Amino acid sequence: MFVRVLGSAAGGGSPQWNCGCPVCAAVRSGAGPPRTQSSIAVSADRRQWFLVNASPDVRTQIEAFPGLHPRGDRTTPLEAVLLTDAELDHTLGLLLLREARALRLYATPAVHKVLCDGSGLVRTLERYCSVEWRPVVPGAGVSLGGGLSCRAFDVPTTKRDRFGSGENHGRVVGYRLTGERGGGTLVYLPGVQALTPALRAEIEGCDCLLVDGTCWRDDELIRLGLAGKTSREMGHLPIDGADGSLAQLASMGVRRTIFVHLNNTNPILLEDTPERRVVEDNGMEVAMDGLEVEV
Ligand code: MLT
Ligand code: MN
Ligand code: ZN
């Protein structure tokens, strides 16, 4: 299976247009690469590709990746879009795909409901192209086509429910992806608030884990005076600390652990920071846009 990180930043990207924090300022001055918003493309055969999440930067991300370029006419290698949640950084790109003849969309009923009745993105999209919704059921394996299988799993969260769907089950999911003709297992988990025993069981022993690396510290945004909430309160387990993701993941037997969905304030975005060194010294990685992994 092949994975391409299309966008490695959290909502807003890096740098974020209205942010002058030390990391955004450093990225603007060229001290680190800019990053687009959170999304990956996955394929078992390098011919048919599946997006997991559609970011507001999807157009640039597709142009930057020849694997997703159309062949001849308007036949595109993009087979379907899988969603982990209904956040705007993961779904606004759906509207930018409206030129498609039809779009196959995998989402839980909870996420689909928000996209129809909350943000309304799918209702709007349906005015441009046909949307084939495939309901995602956590725990059930699905063959996506192109030799790729996936199984979603529920990710419990107390994250603010912006669109008030009232539904908690299936509001956020992660995906376990496998090639049907062998190869390893990829777990994609761009948003996780706590590594519960059930989530640890999903991750344990996978070959590659792309995991929520939003904030380094739990109080990162509070210290910078940018927000009143901790990282956990926003639905994202911080990396640092005795109960942070790095310490918990270090013992889980995952071959490659790569942090994605990086917030613009996170010091691991820059190569020469002590925080980045801690990640690397623990044998883990920080995703960049365009990173490709064979699993
Ligand atoms: C989040 O995951 O909390 C988001 O990145 C928020 C956003 O899209 O603004
Ligand atoms: Mn996000
Ligand atoms: Zn910033």
Side-chain angles (χ1 to χ4, degrees):
M1 182 187 4
F2 304 93
V3 190
R4 161 110 176 178
V5 176
L6 298 176
S8 51
S14 165
Q16 179 171 304
W17 70 277
N18 64 344
C19 192
C21 78
V23 180
C24 281
V27 173
R28 278 193 193 99
S29 72
R35 286 172 166 86
T36 63
Q37 295 167 84
S38 180
S39 172
I40 60 169
V42 186
S43 175
D45 59 8
R46 276 194 169 273
R47 288 202 303 273
Q48 292 167 276
W49 288 88
F50 297 82
L51 292 193
V52 190
N53 294 326
S55 100
D57 301 312
V58 69
R59 189 186 163 279
T60 328
Q61 293 169 344
I62 289 174
E63 286 310 313
F65 179 39
L68 278 167
H69 291 174
R71 309 182 185 101
D73 50 10
R74 287 197 175 161
T75 316
T76 159
L78 174 58
E79 287 292 316
V81 179
L82 288 72
L83 297 177
T84 58
D85 53 69
E87 291 278 342
L88 293 184
D89 58 338
H90 289 161
T91 57
L92 267 178
L94 291 172
L95 292 183
L96 306 180
L97 301 174
R98 67 188 178 281
E99 293 88 359
R101 288 198 185 103
L103 211 55
R104 184 162 31 122
L105 186 63
Y106 291 86
T108 62
V111 168
H112 186 252
K113 186 169 187 282
V114 170
L115 295 176
C116 290
D117 308 333
S119 70
L121 286 178
V122 161
R123 286 286 173 258
T124 304
L125 183 63
E126 281 169 342
R127 293 173 188 263
Y128 291 83
C129 72
S130 96
V131 180
E132 298 164 16
W133 174 44
R134 306 286 170 93
V136 166
V137 180
V142 178
S143 177
L144 297 171
L148 199 62
S149 284
C150 85
R151 179 162 55 75
F153 51 89
D154 204 35
V155 180
T157 186
T158 60
K159 184 174 193 162
R160 175 176 157 207
D161 185 354
R162 273 180 213 273
F163 299 101
S165 71
E167 183 67 55
N168 232 345
H169 184 70
R171 195 145 76 83
V172 181
V173 297
Y175 288 99
R176 247 183 111 87
L177 294 136
T178 46
E180 286 157 2
R181 286 172 223 104
T185 301
L186 167 77
V187 171
Y188 190 51
L189 194 52
V192 63
Q193 191 168 23
L195 289 167
T196 62
L199 287 181
R200 298 176 70 94
E202 296 289 350
I203 292 168
E204 201 85 55
C206 75
D207 298 283
C208 182
L209 170 67
L210 297 177
V211 67
D212 189 341
T214 306
C215 289
W216 175 258
R217 303 172 56 105
D218 200 28
D219 62 354
E220 188 165 304
L221 296 176
I222 297 172
R223 283 180 158 229
L224 289 163
L226 301 176
K229 282 189 180 174
T230 64
S231 176
R232 277 191 181 81
E233 284 166 352
M234 292 186 297
H236 301 287
L237 182 63
I239 300 172
D240 188 35
D243 52 359
S245 59
L246 189 143
Q248 294 190 62
L249 292 169
S251 60
M252 288 191 55
V254 175
R255 192 163 337 135
R256 276 182 88 170
T257 299
I258 305 173
F259 289 105
V260 294
H261 193 278
L262 307 158
N263 196 54
N264 65 77
T265 50
N266 192 329
I268 67 171
L269 290 173
L270 303 174
E271 256 172 47
D272 56 356
T273 58
E275 293 86 356
R276 168 73 81 97
R277 211 160 312 122
V278 171
V279 171
E280 289 171 354
D281 288 350
N282 278 275
M284 299 179 188
E285 299 167 59
V286 178
M288 293 215 312
D289 290 14
L291 172 72
E292 290 189 23
V293 181
E294 189 169 346
V295 183

